[in-house]
Amino acid sequence: MTTVGLLYPGHHAEDDYPRIETLLTGVNVPIVHTGTGEDARRVDALLESGSAGRLAAGMEQLRLSGAESVVWASTSGSFLYGWEGAQEQIRALAVSAGLPASSTSFGFVHALRDVGAARVAVAATYPEDVTDLFAGFLKAAGVEVVASRAGGVATAAEAAAWGPERVLELVRAADRPGAEAVLVPDTALHTVGCLPELEAAVGKPVLTANQVTVWEGLRLAERRGAWSADLGTLFARKE
């Protein structure tokens, strides 16, 4: 059994993670919920959600879970710190946890390398200014963003209420022929149940926040061979 510990902000789409557990043999994903403060997709509120104090608060519980790695399961709560700030965030997390650590934002970067995609389209629920900052983070990682679409969602609760049809609509609207993958960066959005449909609609890998978060934790734990046909290209069996 491989155990990937997650620090997850609030209570929105965390039920995606038990669903991933059922699709992957020998994978355990305990979740420790962190406080979020104000539920608002403003830069100041999102930065507060990823503050050092909030992340450190749940660390003892995470260590007791037997986790072999820890991932801060928030995209906006990491990339908004910028490339260097997000690196410092996970360094502090690793020291506090005594475990290999990362965040969803870096999970996207590593997952893109795994699927061999260097040019992407971004399908974000966020307001436009936050979406642009995610694109900037990707560019700092050497990823070319050929297009982006901002959903304009004001709160995580609103994103969590989206059904598969709205997610599919956003992904289709963001996609461009020059994109080698489509990224959906919001851990408050339910996506795990519709990954095959999303990829079929655009004919390319679709990487979503909750999917990428678990994959990143498994990468850190050096777990190889965790695959499922229901979790998209990222979790496809590598021959």
Side-chain angles (χ1 to χ4, degrees):
M1 181 69 71
T2 302
T3 300
V4 173
L6 304 183
L7 292 173
Y8 184 87
H11 296 267
H12 300 292
E14 68 269 31
D15 47 329
D16 264 5
Y17 297 113
R19 187 163 192 161
I20 292 175
E21 283 183 329
T22 67
L23 295 170
L24 296 175
T25 302
V27 173
N28 182 36
V29 188
I31 301 168
V32 173
H33 296 276
T34 65
T36 58
E38 182 182 3
D39 182 13
R41 296 294 175 83
R42 296 192 320 272
V43 171
D44 62 328
L46 293 169
L47 286 170
E48 171 58 24
S49 75
S51 65
R54 290 191 184 277
L55 298 188
M59 200 51 63
E60 182 62 24
Q61 185 179 344
L62 207 61
R63 282 194 293 264
L64 292 173
S65 74
E68 298 162 61
S69 63
V70 57
V71 183
W72 166 222
S74 174
T75 324
S76 57
S78 48
F79 72 75
L80 283 175
Y81 283 83
W83 184 259
E84 294 298 330
Q87 290 274 11
E88 180 55 38
Q89 184 185 57
I90 62 172
R91 280 195 291 268
L93 191 57
V95 170
S96 178
L99 296 167
S102 190
S103 65
T104 305
S105 293
F106 287 111
F108 273 111
V109 173
H110 298 142
L112 284 169
R113 294 171 185 164
D114 189 74
V115 302
R119 298 185 303 277
V120 305
V122 172
T125 56
Y126 310 133
E128 190 168 351
D129 62 332
V130 177
T131 301
D132 288 346
L133 289 168
F134 180 57
F137 181 88
L138 294 172
K139 290 174 185 176
V143 177
E144 182 182 351
V145 178
V146 301
S148 66
R149 180 61 64 98
V153 170
T155 67
E158 184 181 345
W162 278 32
E165 299 81 9
R166 291 193 70 181
V167 179
L168 180 57
E169 180 183 356
L170 183 65
V171 167
R172 281 177 166 157
D175 186 35
R176 295 293 184 276
E180 297 168 330
V182 180
L183 310 189
V184 187
D186 190 346
T187 59
L189 190 67
H190 293 89
T191 58
V192 170
C194 58
L195 281 163
E197 291 77 14
L198 296 176
E199 293 199 335
V202 295
K204 63 190 65 173
V206 176
L207 304 180
T208 72
N210 292 331
Q211 167 214 42
V212 160
T213 296
V214 174
W215 180 89
E216 178 73 345
L218 291 170
R219 185 190 70 82
L220 290 175
E222 300 184 348
R223 167 67 186 271
R224 308 300 181 190
W227 70 278
S228 169
D230 294 317
L231 288 175
T233 301
L234 185 60
F235 279 95
R237 184 192 290 272
K238 306 296 192 296
E239 300 296 344

